Amino acid sequence: MAVVTETGRLRLRLMKWDDHADIMKIFSDPVAMRYYPSMKNDEEGNFWINWTLDNYRKFGVGLWVVEDLATGEFLGMCGLVPQKVDGTVQMEIGYLFVRKHWGKGYATEAALACKDYGFDHLKCDELISLIDPDNQPSIKVARRIGMEFIKNITKWNKTIAIYHVENR
């Protein structure tokens, strides 16, 4: 198990093929996927894992599995993902969690760990999050870690709000 970082309650580690069943807990949930273009089937889940592993190889980052530090239970995914915005590649803090774990502060704790990782280890000048403008819970997470709204763009055939934070 390749651990990327830990917090008081969480372990963020590299994703592996064995995580398929766990990530499908998110991708097959219509409530959890409400702000995505659609839910994902098993084949699309495999594509997602392959895309994530590809990001690790190409960029050294990607979405990481978030586990409960005490129990090892899968909670969700959070990490740094290269995203093309306005013709340039920027590092995004992305997060998706199993619905039964919402409201416990895990997304904020994991996103803050990713922010610290991006600034301290990768020396990023800025980090962004791409969020559906109606996704108030995700917007709250972004604001809790110090992000501010800068503008809306069209990406993935829909309006997406960009939140950002600059390195301290």
Side-chain angles (χ1 to χ4, degrees):
M1 168 176 34
V3 175
V4 177
T5 190
E6 292 182 350
T7 69
R9 300 184 297 166
L10 308 174
R11 173 185 307 111
L12 282 72
R13 65 161 175 82
L14 297 181
M15 188 178 294
K16 55 189 191 304
W17 285 104
D18 292 350
D19 295 313
H20 183 271
D22 284 327
I23 69 168
M24 291 309 296
K25 292 174 187 173
I26 300 169
F27 290 154
S28 64
D29 181 346
V31 176
M33 295 299 287
R34 175 178 175 193
Y35 298 105
Y36 271 71
S38 66
M39 294 187 304
K40 296 186 184 304
N41 61 30
D42 281 336
E43 184 179 330
E44 292 164 324
N46 285 334
F47 180 84
W48 181 274
I49 293 172
N50 193 55
W51 170 74
T52 299
L53 298 177
D54 229 26
N55 279 331
Y56 296 165
R57 284 188 289 275
K58 290 179 185 172
F59 305 104
V61 293
L63 283 172
W64 300 310
V65 168
V66 180
E67 297 174 327
D68 183 296
L69 190 57
T71 67
E73 182 180 5
F74 176 89
L75 304 174
M77 298 173 273
C78 188
L80 297 167
V81 181
Q83 294 284 3
K84 192 172 245 184
V85 177
D86 295 335
T88 62
V89 175
Q90 295 182 275
M91 263 325 153
E92 177 197 19
I93 299 175
Y95 36 91
L96 300 101
F97 282 78
V98 176
R99 186 164 28 125
K100 75 176 186 176
H101 298 299
W102 290 2
K104 299 176 183 175
Y106 295 138
T108 300
E109 189 172 332
L112 188 57
C114 290
K115 174 184 157 184
D116 291 343
Y117 189 92
F119 288 156
D120 297 341
H121 295 281
L122 301 180
K123 307 300 183 201
C124 294
D125 293 327
E126 174 188 40
L127 297 168
I128 63 167
S129 280
L130 303 175
I131 303 172
D132 184 297
D134 294 327
N135 189 344
Q136 289 303 311
S138 285
I139 290 169
K140 286 178 184 173
V141 169
R143 287 186 173 143
R144 282 187 201 115
I145 67 165
M147 290 187 156
E148 296 177 353
F149 172 81
I150 44 174
K151 67 179 178 176
N152 286 324
I153 61 167
T154 300
K155 189 170 177 71
W156 306 304
N157 298 315
K158 62 187 282 185
T159 299
I160 298 292
I162 300 178
Y163 282 77
H164 87 121
V165 61
E166 293 178 0
N167 200 340
R168 39 204 178 281

